[in-house]
Amino acid sequence: MEDKKEQTGYKRSLTNAHIQLIALGGTIGTGLFLGVGNSIQKTGPSVVFNYIIVGLLLFILMRALGELILSDLHKHTYIEFIEKYLGKNIGKVTGYLYWLSWLILAMAEITALGMYFKYWFPSLHPWIPGVTTVVVLLLINLVSARFFGNLEFAFAIIKILMIVGFVIFSFYMLVTGGSTNYGQASLANLYDNGFFVNGTSGFLQAFQMVIFSFIGVELIGLTAAEAQDPHKTIRSAINELPVRIILFYVLAILGILIVMPWNKVSTSSSPFVQALNGVGLRWAGGLINFVVITAAISSTNSFIYSAGRLLFSVCLDGEGKWNKFFGQLNRRQLPLHALVFSAIIIACAPLITVIMGDEAFSFISSIATSMFLIIWIIMTLTHLVYRKKTPANQLHEFQLPLFPYLDYLVLAFFVAMIILLICLPAYRVPMIAAIVAFIVLYGLSKAFSKKKQD
């Protein structure tokens, strides 16, 4: 029987149920509960096509990443595969960029928490729920991976029940012709006020927040080192991704737009809360607000988990005080120092809110989107090189079909999105900053490597 603790040093304490629910938690968060309002404002009901396009392309990416992860379960993260197939410098740089991206994602969730709590406590300072959440989640993450998995399991169930319930209720309103403050619940809301409401320009602009909504989907792979049966659970979680995309994004958005016209959706609060308040169910709006708070806490929990393990992985076996400090596990086989340091940075998110006000969430989300586009391109290139270097008889049975054409399709889309964000004034600075950050980090890594050789 396989030992529970392998070369990774991690304990294999996450069950099939944990992995499945963590996979759901990675795709349901603030991007859906809050960010979808931004996307609807930009392109109207046609936003469902944005979600289908991005969802299918990320499913292709996950099939590629799943093949990588299952080909060598002794590796902690995707970064080790990047180091192996694209070079140590690119791997290190991507690792730090990836770590920063998870920190920024967690900051976005913490920022959203402050907005959610205003629903009940308008005068509450936004830093209070944010910092409190980070402290509590850090303590939970320091107990064990299984405790983390149990918490994510509970959070994911709450999110699933909420979305399924909302979809059923909205379609009930449609069938019975229920009335709302916005008029009658109707499919006419999908086209009466326009479908592609801002034309091609609005449709393209919506991609930024839609991509942000899906960030975290690759969290499945980061759980492989702590999964009890990774060959079965990782494969199953990835293959079920299209179903989750349809149910938790497309049907949820259709439910919102059945209850209320797109031009009534505000970006200052969750569209789900707005829709139920419009029906007159203010108690239900409060219930949904509670659920979206748990969703933000859930996502933050996942991001702290990911950030800690990424920093540990990047520093593992490295030289220098920094690497030795963060590249070690404690007696519970947890990356204590990496988790604590990551959480401290995340807790600084309210400072951005103080400086930028209501624009903080959009700014943080655009930075995260920009960084992940670069990271996903590198991951796709890693899969390409892996397949070309690995003999056919040594490939894992869980393979990306239509290789290499689907890899090329994903690469073309991500590159197109980078060009798009550079062309759009609102996202130009974050996208260029992400590119510059990667180039600078790569230059520093090369210089450091050369200095060591000399």
Side-chain angles (χ1 to χ4, degrees):
M1 184 176 178
E2 186 182 75
D3 193 291
K4 293 284 183 182
K5 196 199 306 181
E6 300 181 0
Q7 293 177 13
T8 60
Y10 291 141
K11 289 178 66 177
R12 290 198 175 278
S13 53
L14 298 181
T15 66
N16 177 45
H18 286 135
I19 302 298
Q20 293 289 345
L21 272 295
I22 289 171
L24 282 173
T27 54
I28 306 172
T30 299
L32 174 63
F33 290 124
L34 181 62
V36 69
N38 179 284
S39 301
I40 291 173
Q41 280 289 316
K42 284 182 167 61
T43 189
S46 62
V47 72
V48 294
F49 291 129
N50 295 88
Y51 277 93
I52 291 173
I53 291 169
V54 175
L56 290 177
L57 286 162
L58 286 180
F59 172 61
I60 296 171
L61 174 67
M62 283 311 304
R63 281 298 302 260
L65 295 182
E67 182 181 353
L68 272 178
I69 287 291
L70 294 178
S71 72
D72 185 356
L73 290 171
H74 289 153
K75 288 184 167 50
H76 304 113
T77 66
Y78 304 117
I79 305 307
E80 292 176 67
F81 288 99
I82 295 171
E83 288 184 355
K84 180 177 179 178
Y85 294 106
L86 297 185
K88 199 166 184 68
N89 287 325
I90 294 232
K92 284 286 184 183
V93 171
T94 306
Y96 282 118
L97 193 68
Y98 203 24
W99 172 64
L100 286 171
S101 300
W102 286 116
L103 297 183
I104 292 169
L105 282 172
M107 287 180 170
E109 300 291 342
I110 293 301
T111 302
L113 267 177
M115 299 172 70
Y116 295 150
F117 271 92
K118 282 186 177 181
Y119 181 83
W120 291 314
F121 310 103
S123 60
L124 182 70
H125 292 291
W127 67 267
I128 296 176
V131 173
T132 303
T133 297
V134 172
V135 172
V136 173
L137 292 180
L138 173 62
L139 294 175
I140 289 171
N141 271 269
L142 292 178
V143 174
S144 73
R146 190 176 183 87
F147 193 3
F148 158 81
N150 288 336
L151 187 64
E152 277 304 289
F153 185 91
F155 279 147
I157 287 176
I158 292 173
K159 290 189 279 189
I160 292 166
L161 291 176
M162 173 263 175
I163 294 177
V164 171
F166 178 82
V167 169
I168 292 173
F169 176 76
S170 60
F171 279 87
Y172 167 78
M173 291 286 292
L174 173 65
V175 172
T176 59
S179 60
T180 73
N181 293 341
Y182 311 106
Q184 190 176 31
S186 171
L187 288 174
N189 286 340
L190 299 175
Y191 51 81
D192 270 0
N193 296 296
F195 191 74
F196 287 90
V197 296
N198 291 313
T200 303
S201 173
F203 185 73
L204 292 175
Q205 289 183 52
F207 272 114
Q208 183 273 322
M209 189 58 73
V210 172
I211 293 172
F212 173 76
S213 300
F214 281 102
I215 290 176
V217 68
E218 75 276 21
L219 176 62
I220 303 169
L222 295 181
T223 63
E226 292 167 275
Q228 290 180 359
D229 187 2
H231 287 286
K232 178 181 177 181
T233 55
I234 300 299
R235 181 186 312 200
S236 177
I238 291 172
N239 281 335
E240 292 173 10
L241 187 59
V243 176
R244 295 198 293 272
I245 291 167
I246 293 171
L247 178 62
F248 296 108
Y249 281 93
V250 177
L251 290 183
I253 294 168
L254 288 176
I256 292 170
L257 296 176
I258 284 172
V259 174
M260 61 190 299
W262 72 267
N263 54 0
K264 301 296 183 182
V265 176
S266 168
T267 60
S268 61
S269 64
S270 172
F272 294 91
V273 175
Q274 297 171 44
L276 290 176
N277 283 343
V279 175
L281 301 176
R282 292 199 63 83
W283 63 268
L287 177 63
I288 296 296
N289 195 61
F290 167 76
V291 174
V292 298
I293 286 174
T294 65
I297 294 173
S298 167
S299 296
T300 306
N301 189 34
S302 296
F303 299 152
I304 291 174
Y305 172 95
S306 304
R309 279 151 181 79
L310 274 166
L311 182 57
F312 162 77
S313 180
V314 172
C315 295
L316 186 66
D317 298 328
E319 298 179 4
K321 293 182 179 179
W322 169 279
N323 290 316
K324 289 180 180 178
F325 185 73
F326 292 115
Q328 60 178 296
L329 300 174
N330 66 1
R331 288 181 297 175
R332 294 176 179 268
Q333 290 86 54
L334 295 170
L336 172 65
H337 298 151
L339 280 168
V340 172
F341 184 64
S342 299
I344 290 173
I345 296 178
I346 292 168
C348 295
L351 294 176
I352 301 176
T353 305
V354 170
I355 296 170
M356 302 195 67
D358 293 339
E359 297 299 316
F361 178 75
S362 294
F363 177 75
I364 295 172
S365 69
S366 62
I367 293 176
T369 301
S370 301
M371 287 185 168
F372 267 89
L373 284 171
I374 296 173
I375 292 165
W376 287 339
I377 285 175
I378 293 170
M379 287 178 174
T380 307
L381 290 172
T382 302
H383 179 260
L384 272 167
V385 176
Y386 155 75
R387 284 291 291 267
K388 290 180 178 180
K389 285 187 174 182
T390 307
N393 62 348
Q394 295 180 22
L395 291 173
H396 193 276
E397 60 180 337
F398 187 67
Q399 298 176 19
L400 173 69
L402 297 177
F403 174 83
Y405 306 108
L406 290 184
D407 273 335
Y408 292 148
L409 175 64
V410 171
L411 281 174
F413 176 75
F414 290 153
V415 171
M417 288 298 102
I418 287 176
I419 295 171
L420 173 66
L421 294 184
I422 291 175
C423 292
L424 296 173
Y427 310 122
R428 184 176 299 146
V429 172
M431 188 69 253
I432 293 176
I435 294 172
V436 170
F438 179 81
I439 293 172
V440 170
L441 285 172
Y442 182 73
L444 290 173
S445 179
K446 288 281 286 184
F448 183 73
S449 297
K450 186 177 180 181
K451 184 178 180 180
K452 281 175 61 179
Q453 291 173 1
D454 294 341

